Amino acid sequence: MFPISEPAPTLAQLRAFLAVADHLHFREAATQLRMSQPALSASVSALEEILDTQLLERTTRRVLLTPAGERVAVHATRVLAAVDDLIGEVARNREPFSGPAHLGVIPTVAPYVLPALLPMFARRFPHLKLTVHEAKTETIVEEVREGRLDLVLLALPTETSGLVEEPLYDEDFLLALPEGHPLAADDGPLSRGALKGLDIVLLNQGHCLREQAIDVCREVGARATATTYATSLPTLVQLVAGGLGVTLLPESAVPVEKGKRVRLALRRFAHPAPGRTIGLAYRASSARATEYAQLAKAVRGAIRQRKLPVKVVS
C-alpha cells in the first residue's frame, strides 16, 4: 500500500500500461485507447516512475515486458476488473441490462448461433452495449476469469472454479463425409464403431471440438490418423468435401455449411449419439450475475424461436 504522501498509480496509467502489455507495440496501443503515442508513452513512463521500476524494455524494433512488468500486468488487470465491476454494479442499480457487456464466443459456435442471438439482444436489451470477441476456449476462459470478458459462450463443462455455468442447448455430432464415400450410400443410424479405420480430419490444437472428436474416437478404439488439420470449421468442411478425410460436425453448423452447396454427405449416429453441451459461463463474483442468468434464459428462447437443430435445455 502506498503512503498517503506518495503519489499512487492512476487508472489511466494502468490502462495505458496494459494496452502496451497486450499489444507490445506503442502505436497499436495508442490506437486502441484513442490517444496520441507521446501521451501514451508519457503515461507509462509516469507509472514506472511512481513504482520506481522498469516495466517495459524498449528497443528500436520491439517492446518487451520486464519480469516486474509481467507481475504488474497481472495486478493491474485485477484492479481494473474490480473497477469495472464497481461501475457495472452502479449501472445495474440504476438500470438493469445497461452499460458494456463483453461476450466471448468459441469459433465453432459463433457463425452458427450469433445470427439468432444478436437481433434478440438489440431488441430486448437496447441499453446493453454488447461487444463480441471470438477466440478459442482456453483464451476466453482465462479472459473471463481475469475480468477482460464478462461472460462466454462455449462448450460445457469448463472445469474452471469460480465460474457459473448456464447450459443452453445440447447438440449431436454428425459424421461428415465426401460425396461418393462408401458410408454415404446408406441413410440409417451409424454405429460409432464405423469410425475405426477412417481418416479423421481435425481442427488445430486449442479448439475444444478437436478434443471432443478425439474423445469420441478413443471410446471406440478409433484413431485420428489424418495428418491434415484445419484452423476453422468451414475449412474443415472444405477438406472433407475435397476427399481428404471425414470429420465430426456439430449439428448447429449443418444449415450454414450445407447451404454453401459443398459436396458433403452427412450420417447420423445411433443412439446415444456423440455430442456436446453449449452454455454461458460467467464469474460467480460478478455484480451482474443475476442479470446474466436472465440473459441465459433469453438466449434459450431466441435459439428455440430460431428453430436451430439443437435441443434447448429447459
Side-chain angles (χ1 to χ4, degrees):
M1 196 171 197
F2 290 92
I4 296 178
S5 59
E6 295 294 329
T10 66
L11 295 179
Q13 290 168 347
L14 294 178
R15 292 189 195 281
F17 167 65
L18 277 184
V20 177
D22 286 341
H23 292 280
L24 294 180
H25 199 287
F26 274 88
R27 185 176 68 251
E28 293 177 3
T31 299
Q32 175 191 320
L33 296 177
R34 297 181 181 179
M35 62 189 300
S36 69
Q37 191 170 330
L40 175 69
S41 181
S43 186
V44 174
S45 296
L47 178 62
E48 290 180 314
E49 183 175 347
I50 290 172
L51 298 178
D52 193 24
T53 190
Q54 183 179 352
L55 304 177
L56 300 173
E57 180 182 339
R58 304 163 175 84
T59 70
T60 56
R61 288 191 167 187
R62 58 192 306 188
V63 176
L64 300 173
L65 284 173
T66 65
E70 292 179 354
R71 293 192 294 273
V72 170
V74 171
H75 288 291
T77 297
R78 292 173 180 164
V79 169
L80 294 177
V83 171
D84 287 342
D85 279 344
L86 170 64
I87 295 172
E89 183 175 1
V90 172
R92 180 177 61 83
N93 291 331
R94 184 177 65 249
E95 182 182 1
F97 305 106
S98 64
H102 304 283
L103 172 67
V105 189
I106 58 175
T108 58
V109 167
Y112 313 114
V113 176
L114 287 182
L117 303 188
L118 296 183
M120 179 275 292
F121 276 112
R123 182 178 67 256
R124 293 192 55 181
F125 310 107
H127 301 297
L128 190 68
K129 299 178 181 178
L130 185 70
T131 58
V132 177
H133 308 260
E134 183 183 47
K136 296 177 183 178
T137 299
E138 182 179 359
T139 299
I140 63 174
V141 167
E142 179 65 21
E143 291 189 344
V144 75
R145 287 185 60 203
E146 293 295 332
R148 292 189 291 273
L149 292 175
D150 297 305
L151 60 169
V152 290
L153 182 60
L154 74 178
L156 301 180
T158 64
E159 298 181 351
T160 303
S161 62
L163 296 184
V164 175
E165 297 181 357
E166 296 272 2
L168 299 174
Y169 64 85
D170 299 320
E171 65 177 330
D172 291 343
F173 291 152
L174 276 62
L175 182 63
L177 313 118
E179 286 186 354
H181 191 282
L183 289 178
D186 192 5
D187 59 359
L190 191 68
S191 167
R192 298 192 194 194
L195 294 171
K196 294 181 180 180
L198 297 179
D199 288 332
I200 301 172
V201 186
L202 300 173
L203 290 171
N204 282 342
Q205 289 186 352
H207 291 276
C208 60
L209 182 59
R210 169 193 172 93
E211 305 307 320
Q212 292 159 351
I214 291 175
D215 287 343
V216 173
C217 294
R218 188 180 294 119
E219 287 176 8
V220 297
R223 297 175 61 187
T225 56
T227 57
T228 301
Y229 300 98
T231 58
S232 69
L233 204 50
T235 300
L236 193 63
V237 168
Q238 292 294 333
L239 294 178
V240 171
L244 296 185
V246 305
T247 197
L248 297 180
L249 187 67
E251 193 163 4
S252 61
V254 170
V256 173
E257 298 304 335
K258 282 289 286 184
K260 299 174 183 177
R261 297 182 180 180
V262 294
R263 298 177 60 84
L264 193 72
L266 296 169
R267 291 287 306 276
R268 289 188 174 277
F269 288 95
H271 182 78
R276 64 179 182 175
T277 298
I278 299 298
L280 281 175
Y282 49 88
R283 295 185 305 281
S285 61
S286 173
R288 306 178 75 177
T290 301
E291 288 182 34
Y292 296 153
Q294 295 181 55
L295 287 179
K297 184 177 180 180
V299 168
R300 294 186 192 101
I303 293 173
R304 189 180 289 111
Q305 184 177 18
R306 190 67 175 260
K307 296 182 179 180
L308 295 179
V310 299
K311 306 176 188 71
V312 179
V313 175
S314 300

